[in-house]
Amino acid sequence: MPRTVLAAVLLCVAAVGAAPVAQAQARVPVALSQLQRPAGAEDGRAAEPYVVTLAPGADPERVMRETGVTRVRFVYRETIRGFAADLDPEQVAALWARPDVVAVERDGEVVGAPVGPSVTGRW
């Protein structure tokens, strides 16, 4: 049973690790005028939560420093390289312009499929 759980976890990690590579190939620059601004943002600089995925070996602190990111929620250094931060549209555009940025995605909730007992009827 522990092997089954470990295998499932490893498959999930492998899928997550491969996703940024596929996204890097399909990367499309976004014009600053195309970025959505949240309702009620009077100055147009309201920040929203994002997750930024970096290329392997990239330094999250350097990327944050060079793009003016200061409202950091979390820095990822193990399975993926990157960070979660509150970003305004100008920071999103600056991050997309960097070659070491693989993805810039709005943060949000993810709901998975329910997990049930294995074929043997055991958890």
Side-chain angles (χ1 to χ4, degrees), residues 20 50-64 69 72-85 95 100-103:
Y50 282 84
V51 176
V52 179
T53 306
L54 303 176
D59 179 19
E61 284 81 11
R62 189 188 87 237
V63 172
M64 290 183 291
V69 175
V72 179
R73 293 172 177 242
F74 195 80
V75 177
Y76 305 100
R77 293 184 185 90
E78 300 299 322
T79 304
I80 63 168
R81 309 280 299 170
F83 55 91
L95 286 161
D100 53 355
V101 172
V102 175

Side-chain angles (χ1 to χ4, degrees), residues 10-103:
L10 290 176
L11 284 173
C12 290
V13 170
V16 169
V21 174
Q23 290 174 357
Q25 295 170 354
R27 214 170 122 158
V28 177
V30 177
L32 189 57
S33 61
Q34 292 176 316
L35 296 173
Q36 294 179 343
R37 298 186 194 283
E42 292 82 22
D43 66 356
R45 293 185 48 84
E48 293 188 51
Y50 282 84
V51 176
V52 179
T53 306
L54 303 176
D59 179 19
E61 284 81 11
R62 189 188 87 237
V63 172
M64 290 183 291
R65 184 175 56 251
E66 292 176 358
T67 55
V69 175
T70 58
R71 294 168 287 196
V72 179
R73 293 172 177 242
F74 195 80
V75 177
Y76 305 100
R77 293 184 185 90
E78 300 299 322
T79 304
I80 63 168
R81 309 280 299 170
F83 55 91
D86 293 331
L87 305 175
D88 61 45
E90 289 79 14
Q91 290 168 323
V92 171
L95 286 161
W96 269 121
R98 297 180 60 95
D100 53 355
V101 172
V102 175

